[in-house]
Amino acid sequence: MSQSFNQKVECKGLPEADIILVDRNQAGTGDSLLDANASNQYDKSHARTESGAEGLDTLYIYCPEHYVDVIEKVMSRHQNIEVHVNDFSVRNFKNLKLCHFKSEHMSQEEKIFLITATELGARVEPLVSFLDRKLGYTEVELLHSGYFLYQKAFSILSNKTNAFIKRVVDLLFVFLLSWVAIPVGIITAVLIKLESPGPVFYKQRRTGLYNKEFNVIKFRSMRNDAEKNGAQWACSNDSRVTKVGKIIRKTRIDELPQLLNVLKNEMSMVGPRPEREHFISDLEKEIPYYRFRHAVKPGITGLAQVKYPYGASVQDAVWKHKYDIFYIKHQKFAMDLKILLLTVKTVLFGKGV
Protein backbone atom coordinates (compact mmCIF):
# COMPACT_ATOMS: atom_id res chain seq x y z
CA MET A 1 0.00 0.00 0.00
CA SER A 2 1.23 3.47 -0.74
CA GLN A 3 2.68 5.60 2.00
CA SER A 4 0.08 7.18 4.29
CA PHE A 5 -0.59 10.80 3.61
CA ASN A 6 -2.77 12.99 5.80
CA GLN A 7 -2.96 16.66 5.00
CA LYS A 8 -5.56 19.32 5.62
CA VAL A 9 -5.41 21.66 2.68
CA GLU A 10 -4.84 25.24 3.71
CA CYS A 11 -7.15 27.50 1.76
CA LYS A 12 -5.42 30.66 0.71
CA GLY A 13 -6.40 33.25 -1.87
CA LEU A 14 -5.03 32.47 -5.29
CA PRO A 15 -3.44 35.20 -7.42
CA GLU A 16 -4.93 36.10 -10.75
CA ALA A 17 -3.02 34.50 -13.58
CA ASP A 18 -3.38 33.29 -17.13
CA ILE A 19 -4.35 29.69 -17.78
CA ILE A 20 -1.35 27.36 -17.72
CA LEU A 21 -1.60 23.78 -18.92
CA VAL A 22 0.21 21.09 -16.95
CA ASP A 23 0.79 19.20 -20.18
CA ARG A 24 0.13 21.00 -23.45
CA ASN A 25 0.74 17.83 -25.43
CA GLN A 26 -2.52 16.46 -24.00
CA ALA A 27 -4.46 19.70 -24.39
CA GLY A 28 -8.04 19.23 -25.51
CA THR A 29 -8.11 15.48 -24.76
CA GLY A 30 -9.76 15.88 -21.38
CA ASP A 31 -6.82 14.43 -19.46
CA SER A 32 -4.94 17.75 -19.50
CA LEU A 33 -5.47 19.65 -16.28
CA LEU A 34 -5.72 23.40 -15.92
CA ASP A 35 -3.59 25.01 -13.27
CA ALA A 36 -5.76 26.20 -10.36
CA ASN A 37 -3.94 29.53 -10.43
CA ALA A 38 -6.01 30.35 -13.51
CA SER A 39 -8.90 31.20 -11.22
CA ASN A 40 -9.80 34.87 -11.28
CA GLN A 41 -11.38 36.84 -8.47
CA TYR A 42 -14.85 35.63 -9.44
CA ASP A 43 -13.60 32.06 -9.28
CA LYS A 44 -12.44 32.45 -5.69
CA SER A 45 -15.37 34.39 -4.28
CA HIS A 46 -17.94 32.31 -6.13
CA ALA A 47 -16.42 29.07 -4.87
CA ARG A 48 -16.56 30.34 -1.29
CA THR A 49 -20.21 31.28 -1.69
CA GLU A 50 -21.22 27.97 -3.23
CA SER A 51 -19.30 25.71 -0.86
CA GLY A 52 -20.22 27.73 2.19
CA ALA A 53 -23.94 27.12 1.77
CA GLU A 54 -23.99 23.92 3.80
CA GLY A 55 -21.24 24.58 6.35
CA LEU A 56 -17.93 22.75 6.82
CA ASP A 57 -17.55 19.35 5.15
CA THR A 58 -14.80 16.83 5.85
CA LEU A 59 -13.79 14.96 2.73
CA TYR A 60 -11.31 12.14 2.19
CA ILE A 61 -9.94 11.98 -1.34
CA TYR A 62 -7.98 9.07 -2.82
CA CYS A 63 -6.05 9.28 -6.07
CA PRO A 64 -2.77 8.17 -7.70
CA GLU A 65 0.15 10.01 -6.10
CA HIS A 66 1.01 12.04 -9.21
CA TYR A 67 -2.43 13.70 -9.07
CA VAL A 68 -2.13 14.86 -5.45
CA ASP A 69 -0.84 18.33 -6.35
CA VAL A 70 -3.67 18.86 -8.84
CA ILE A 71 -6.30 17.77 -6.31
CA GLU A 72 -4.87 20.11 -3.67
CA LYS A 73 -4.88 23.07 -6.06
CA VAL A 74 -8.49 22.52 -7.10
CA MET A 75 -9.74 21.90 -3.57
CA SER A 76 -7.92 24.96 -2.19
CA ARG A 77 -10.64 27.06 -3.83
CA HIS A 78 -13.30 25.64 -1.56
CA GLN A 79 -12.60 26.96 1.88
CA ASN A 80 -15.49 25.20 3.61
CA ILE A 81 -14.33 21.73 2.70
CA GLU A 82 -11.71 20.17 4.98
CA VAL A 83 -9.69 17.88 2.74
CA HIS A 84 -7.57 14.82 3.55
CA VAL A 85 -5.72 13.35 0.57
CA ASN A 86 -4.64 9.69 0.48
CA ASP A 87 -5.07 9.09 4.19
CA PHE A 88 -4.98 5.28 4.30
CA SER A 89 -4.77 5.20 8.10
CA VAL A 90 -8.56 5.61 8.45
CA ARG A 91 -10.32 2.63 10.03
CA ASN A 92 -13.66 3.96 11.27
CA PHE A 93 -15.61 4.63 8.08
CA LYS A 94 -19.06 5.24 9.50
CA ASN A 95 -20.61 8.42 8.06
CA LEU A 96 -17.37 9.38 6.29
CA LYS A 97 -17.40 10.93 2.83
CA LEU A 98 -14.78 9.33 0.59
CA CYS A 99 -14.10 10.33 -3.01
CA HIS A 100 -11.83 8.82 -5.62
CA PHE A 101 -10.16 10.29 -8.66
CA LYS A 102 -8.59 8.25 -11.46
CA SER A 103 -9.13 5.16 -9.32
CA GLU A 104 -8.43 2.89 -12.30
CA HIS A 105 -4.76 3.90 -11.96
CA MET A 106 -4.55 3.13 -8.25
CA SER A 107 -2.84 0.01 -6.91
CA GLN A 108 -4.86 -3.12 -6.15
CA GLU A 109 -4.36 -2.59 -2.40
CA GLU A 110 -5.65 0.99 -2.66
CA LYS A 111 -8.71 -0.19 -4.60
CA ILE A 112 -9.40 -2.83 -1.94
CA PHE A 113 -9.19 -0.07 0.69
CA LEU A 114 -12.00 1.84 -1.06
CA ILE A 115 -14.08 -1.32 -1.52
CA THR A 116 -13.67 -2.14 2.17
CA ALA A 117 -14.66 1.40 3.09
CA THR A 118 -17.85 0.96 1.06
CA GLU A 119 -18.60 -2.33 2.83
CA LEU A 120 -18.14 -0.67 6.23
CA GLY A 121 -20.59 2.16 5.56
CA ALA A 122 -18.55 4.94 4.00
CA ARG A 123 -20.12 6.96 1.23
CA VAL A 124 -17.72 6.47 -1.68
CA GLU A 125 -18.16 8.24 -5.01
CA PRO A 126 -16.17 9.88 -7.80
CA LEU A 127 -14.75 13.25 -6.78
CA VAL A 128 -16.17 15.12 -9.77
CA SER A 129 -19.68 13.80 -9.04
CA PHE A 130 -19.44 14.92 -5.41
CA LEU A 131 -18.31 18.40 -6.46
CA ASP A 132 -21.09 18.56 -9.06
CA ARG A 133 -23.69 18.08 -6.35
CA LYS A 134 -21.93 20.29 -3.82
CA LEU A 135 -21.11 23.24 -6.07
CA GLY A 136 -23.75 23.25 -8.78
CA TYR A 137 -21.14 23.26 -11.55
CA THR A 138 -18.46 20.90 -12.86
CA GLU A 139 -14.78 21.35 -12.02
CA VAL A 140 -13.62 20.86 -15.61
CA GLU A 141 -9.96 20.67 -14.57
CA LEU A 142 -10.77 17.23 -13.14
CA LEU A 143 -12.69 15.88 -16.12
CA HIS A 144 -11.52 12.60 -17.56
CA SER A 145 -13.01 9.83 -19.68
CA GLY A 146 -14.57 8.03 -16.70
CA TYR A 147 -16.87 10.98 -16.01
CA PHE A 148 -18.53 10.45 -19.38
CA LEU A 149 -18.29 6.68 -19.72
CA TYR A 150 -19.24 5.34 -16.30
CA GLN A 151 -21.99 7.68 -15.13
CA LYS A 152 -25.69 6.83 -15.32
CA ALA A 153 -26.54 10.33 -16.36
CA PHE A 154 -26.65 12.48 -19.48
CA SER A 155 -30.30 11.54 -20.04
CA ILE A 156 -30.56 14.50 -22.39
CA LEU A 157 -28.33 12.55 -24.79
CA SER A 158 -29.91 9.09 -24.58
CA ASN A 159 -33.52 9.46 -23.42
CA LYS A 160 -35.82 9.93 -26.43
CA THR A 161 -38.76 10.86 -24.22
CA ASN A 162 -36.67 13.57 -22.61
CA ALA A 163 -35.67 14.89 -26.05
CA PHE A 164 -39.30 14.90 -27.21
CA ILE A 165 -40.49 16.81 -24.13
CA LYS A 166 -37.68 19.34 -24.54
CA ARG A 167 -38.67 19.93 -28.17
CA VAL A 168 -42.35 20.38 -27.24
CA VAL A 169 -41.38 22.90 -24.55
CA ASP A 170 -39.21 24.76 -27.07
CA LEU A 171 -42.09 25.09 -29.53
CA LEU A 172 -44.49 26.11 -26.78
CA PHE A 173 -42.19 28.93 -25.66
CA VAL A 174 -41.66 30.07 -29.26
CA PHE A 175 -45.44 30.34 -29.65
CA LEU A 176 -45.93 32.18 -26.34
CA LEU A 177 -43.00 34.55 -26.81
CA SER A 178 -43.95 35.39 -30.39
CA TRP A 179 -46.89 37.45 -29.10
CA VAL A 180 -44.38 39.78 -27.48
CA ALA A 181 -41.45 39.24 -29.82
CA ILE A 182 -43.25 40.32 -33.02
CA PRO A 183 -44.37 43.82 -31.91
CA VAL A 184 -41.13 44.44 -29.98
CA GLY A 185 -39.18 43.22 -32.98
CA ILE A 186 -40.93 45.62 -35.35
CA ILE A 187 -40.14 48.60 -33.09
CA THR A 188 -36.53 47.43 -32.69
CA ALA A 189 -36.09 47.05 -36.46
CA VAL A 190 -37.30 50.61 -37.07
CA LEU A 191 -34.94 52.05 -34.41
CA ILE A 192 -31.94 50.15 -35.79
CA LYS A 193 -32.65 51.37 -39.30
CA LEU A 194 -33.04 54.97 -38.16
CA GLU A 195 -29.80 55.05 -36.16
CA SER A 196 -27.26 53.55 -38.53
CA PRO A 197 -26.93 52.26 -42.10
CA GLY A 198 -26.87 48.55 -42.69
CA PRO A 199 -29.15 45.53 -42.33
CA VAL A 200 -31.56 45.13 -39.42
CA PHE A 201 -30.61 41.53 -38.82
CA TYR A 202 -27.16 40.14 -38.28
CA LYS A 203 -26.29 36.58 -39.27
CA GLN A 204 -23.22 34.89 -37.91
CA ARG A 205 -21.88 31.36 -38.35
CA ARG A 206 -21.91 29.45 -35.08
CA THR A 207 -21.19 25.82 -34.24
CA GLY A 208 -24.14 23.78 -33.03
CA LEU A 209 -25.24 20.19 -32.50
CA TYR A 210 -22.62 17.61 -33.54
CA ASN A 211 -20.24 20.41 -34.59
CA LYS A 212 -22.47 21.46 -37.51
CA GLU A 213 -22.36 25.16 -38.30
CA PHE A 214 -25.49 27.24 -38.78
CA ASN A 215 -26.44 30.91 -39.02
CA VAL A 216 -27.46 32.52 -35.74
CA ILE A 217 -29.95 35.33 -36.35
CA LYS A 218 -29.81 38.44 -34.16
CA PHE A 219 -30.83 42.06 -34.31
CA ARG A 220 -27.76 44.06 -35.33
CA SER A 221 -26.37 45.78 -32.24
CA MET A 222 -23.02 46.92 -33.66
CA ARG A 223 -21.83 49.15 -36.44
CA ASN A 224 -21.99 47.55 -39.86
CA ASP A 225 -18.16 47.49 -40.05
CA ALA A 226 -17.69 46.02 -36.55
CA GLU A 227 -15.47 43.17 -37.74
CA LYS A 228 -13.57 44.77 -40.57
CA ASN A 229 -10.37 43.73 -38.78
CA GLY A 230 -11.49 40.14 -38.19
CA ALA A 231 -13.32 38.23 -35.45
CA GLN A 232 -13.02 39.70 -31.97
CA TRP A 233 -14.33 38.88 -28.51
CA ALA A 234 -17.30 41.06 -27.60
CA CYS A 235 -17.04 42.93 -24.30
CA SER A 236 -19.45 44.69 -21.94
CA ASN A 237 -18.34 48.21 -22.95
CA ASP A 238 -17.63 47.51 -26.61
CA SER A 239 -17.12 50.73 -28.57
CA ARG A 240 -18.51 49.05 -31.68
CA VAL A 241 -21.97 48.81 -30.10
CA THR A 242 -24.54 51.39 -31.24
CA LYS A 243 -26.84 53.34 -28.87
CA VAL A 244 -29.81 51.16 -29.76
CA GLY A 245 -27.49 48.16 -29.57
CA LYS A 246 -26.61 48.91 -25.94
CA ILE A 247 -30.29 48.83 -24.99
CA ILE A 248 -31.23 45.70 -26.89
CA ARG A 249 -28.15 43.82 -25.66
CA LYS A 250 -28.79 44.78 -22.05
CA THR A 251 -32.41 43.63 -22.30
CA ARG A 252 -31.47 40.73 -24.61
CA ILE A 253 -33.95 41.90 -27.22
CA ASP A 254 -31.18 41.32 -29.76
CA GLU A 255 -31.60 37.57 -29.13
CA LEU A 256 -35.32 37.49 -30.07
CA PRO A 257 -34.75 36.57 -33.75
CA GLN A 258 -33.14 33.36 -32.51
CA LEU A 259 -36.67 32.10 -31.91
CA LEU A 260 -36.50 31.39 -35.66
CA ASN A 261 -33.43 29.21 -35.02
CA VAL A 262 -35.41 27.32 -32.38
CA LEU A 263 -38.33 26.91 -34.80
CA LYS A 264 -35.89 25.50 -37.39
CA ASN A 265 -34.62 23.02 -34.74
CA GLU A 266 -31.10 24.49 -34.90
CA MET A 267 -31.29 25.73 -31.32
CA SER A 268 -33.20 25.09 -28.10
CA MET A 269 -34.55 27.60 -25.62
CA VAL A 270 -32.03 26.36 -23.04
CA GLY A 271 -28.55 25.02 -23.68
CA PRO A 272 -24.91 26.09 -24.01
CA ARG A 273 -24.58 29.33 -25.95
CA PRO A 274 -23.28 28.67 -29.49
CA GLU A 275 -19.78 29.90 -30.17
CA ARG A 276 -17.87 30.68 -33.35
CA GLU A 277 -15.57 28.03 -34.79
CA HIS A 278 -12.75 30.59 -34.88
CA PHE A 279 -12.80 30.79 -31.08
CA ILE A 280 -13.65 27.12 -30.47
CA SER A 281 -10.47 26.01 -32.24
CA ASP A 282 -8.45 28.01 -29.71
CA LEU A 283 -10.56 27.23 -26.64
CA GLU A 284 -10.47 23.46 -27.11
CA LYS A 285 -6.67 23.62 -26.82
CA GLU A 286 -7.02 25.16 -23.36
CA ILE A 287 -10.22 23.65 -21.94
CA PRO A 288 -10.70 19.88 -21.46
CA TYR A 289 -13.58 18.38 -23.47
CA TYR A 290 -14.69 21.77 -24.74
CA ARG A 291 -16.43 20.32 -27.80
CA PHE A 292 -18.59 18.07 -25.63
CA ARG A 293 -20.94 21.07 -25.38
CA HIS A 294 -21.93 20.27 -28.97
CA ALA A 295 -23.52 16.99 -27.86
CA VAL A 296 -26.69 19.05 -27.34
CA LYS A 297 -28.38 21.83 -29.27
CA PRO A 298 -27.17 25.29 -28.28
CA GLY A 299 -29.60 27.52 -26.41
CA ILE A 300 -30.87 31.08 -26.48
CA THR A 301 -30.14 31.09 -22.76
CA GLY A 302 -28.38 28.65 -20.48
CA LEU A 303 -27.17 27.84 -16.98
CA ALA A 304 -23.91 29.72 -17.58
CA GLN A 305 -25.82 32.84 -18.64
CA VAL A 306 -27.87 33.03 -15.44
CA LYS A 307 -25.09 31.94 -13.07
CA TYR A 308 -22.02 33.71 -14.41
CA PRO A 309 -21.59 37.46 -15.08
CA TYR A 310 -20.75 38.67 -18.56
CA GLY A 311 -17.18 37.98 -19.64
CA ALA A 312 -15.19 37.50 -22.82
CA SER A 313 -11.88 35.79 -22.15
CA VAL A 314 -10.45 32.29 -21.92
CA GLN A 315 -10.91 32.35 -18.13
CA ASP A 316 -14.57 33.30 -18.58
CA ALA A 317 -14.96 30.49 -21.13
CA VAL A 318 -13.56 28.03 -18.56
CA TRP A 319 -16.17 29.10 -16.00
CA LYS A 320 -19.00 28.92 -18.52
CA HIS A 321 -17.84 25.45 -19.56
CA LYS A 322 -18.14 24.33 -15.93
CA TYR A 323 -21.82 25.22 -15.99
CA ASP A 324 -22.40 23.85 -19.50
CA ILE A 325 -20.98 20.42 -18.65
CA PHE A 326 -23.01 20.37 -15.43
CA TYR A 327 -26.16 21.24 -17.40
CA ILE A 328 -25.63 18.53 -20.02
CA LYS A 329 -25.18 15.87 -17.35
CA HIS A 330 -28.02 16.92 -15.05
CA GLN A 331 -30.56 18.43 -17.46
CA LYS A 332 -34.21 17.98 -16.51
CA PHE A 333 -37.43 19.76 -17.38
CA ALA A 334 -37.43 21.44 -13.94
CA MET A 335 -33.91 22.76 -14.54
CA ASP A 336 -34.87 24.19 -17.93
CA LEU A 337 -37.90 25.89 -16.42
CA LYS A 338 -35.81 27.39 -13.62
CA ILE A 339 -33.24 28.72 -16.10
CA LEU A 340 -35.97 30.30 -18.22
CA LEU A 341 -37.51 31.98 -15.16
CA LEU A 342 -34.08 33.24 -14.06
CA THR A 343 -33.53 34.60 -17.57
CA VAL A 344 -36.80 36.52 -17.36
CA LYS A 345 -35.68 37.90 -14.00
CA THR A 346 -32.33 38.89 -15.48
CA VAL A 347 -34.01 40.73 -18.35
CA LEU A 348 -36.55 42.51 -16.12
CA PHE A 349 -33.83 43.76 -13.75
CA GLY A 350 -31.57 44.86 -16.60
CA LYS A 351 -28.68 42.50 -15.87
CA GLY A 352 -26.62 40.62 -18.37
CA VAL A 353 -25.58 41.69 -21.89
Side-chain angles (χ1 to χ4, degrees), residues 292-346:
F292 192 79
R293 68 205 311 274
H294 302 142
V296 299
K297 283 183 289 187
I300 293 179
T301 186
L303 185 62
Q305 279 61 52
V306 298
K307 288 288 188 178
Y308 188 82
Y310 180 82
S313 68
V314 175
Q315 290 186 10
D316 294 318
V318 170
W319 257 105
K320 290 176 182 178
H321 189 54
K322 293 182 181 188
Y323 285 112
D324 288 337
I325 290 292
F326 181 90
Y327 171 78
I328 295 171
K329 180 181 177 183
H330 300 280
Q331 185 275 337
K332 294 180 181 178
F333 170 72
M335 179 183 286
D336 279 2
L337 185 59
K338 183 177 181 180
I339 291 170
L340 287 168
L341 291 175
L342 286 172
T343 301
V344 172
K345 180 181 177 182
T346 299

Side-chain angles (χ1 to χ4, degrees), residues 186-200 220 242 244:
I186 293 173
I187 296 172
T188 301
V190 171
L191 293 175
I192 291 173
K193 204 66 180 176
L194 289 174
E195 182 183 15
S196 61
V200 169
R220 181 171 59 85
T242 63
V244 173

Side-chain angles (χ1 to χ4, degrees), residues 215-255:
N215 286 321
V216 163
I217 308 169
K218 304 176 71 172
F219 281 120
R220 181 171 59 85
S221 61
M222 292 187 177
R223 300 190 310 267
N224 201 33
D225 62 348
E227 294 199 335
K228 62 181 180 181
N229 296 320
Q232 302 176 42
W233 286 101
C235 58
S236 56
N237 294 309
D238 202 319
S239 60
R240 298 171 297 166
V241 179
T242 63
K243 293 179 180 179
V244 173
K246 289 180 181 178
I247 297 173
I248 64 176
R249 290 182 68 173
K250 188 174 183 180
T251 57
R252 297 192 179 179
I253 289 174
D254 63 324
E255 311 284 358

Side-chain angles (χ1 to χ4, degrees), residues 133-192:
R133 188 177 65 256
K134 178 71 176 173
L135 305 175
Y137 58 82
T138 299
E139 284 287 16
V140 295
E141 296 93 326
L142 301 180
L143 284 181
H144 58 95
S145 60
Y147 180 82
F148 301 96
L149 299 178
Y150 307 120
Q151 301 296 320
K152 292 182 179 180
F154 299 101
S155 62
I156 191 176
L157 305 180
S158 59
N159 190 316
K160 292 184 179 180
T161 301
N162 181 298
F164 175 76
I165 292 174
K166 188 170 176 62
R167 180 58 180 161
V168 170
V169 171
D170 283 344
L171 294 176
L172 177 61
F173 269 88
V174 169
F175 174 75
L176 294 175
L177 289 174
S178 64
W179 292 92
V180 176
I182 292 174
V184 170
I186 293 173
I187 296 172
T188 301
V190 171
L191 293 175
I192 291 173

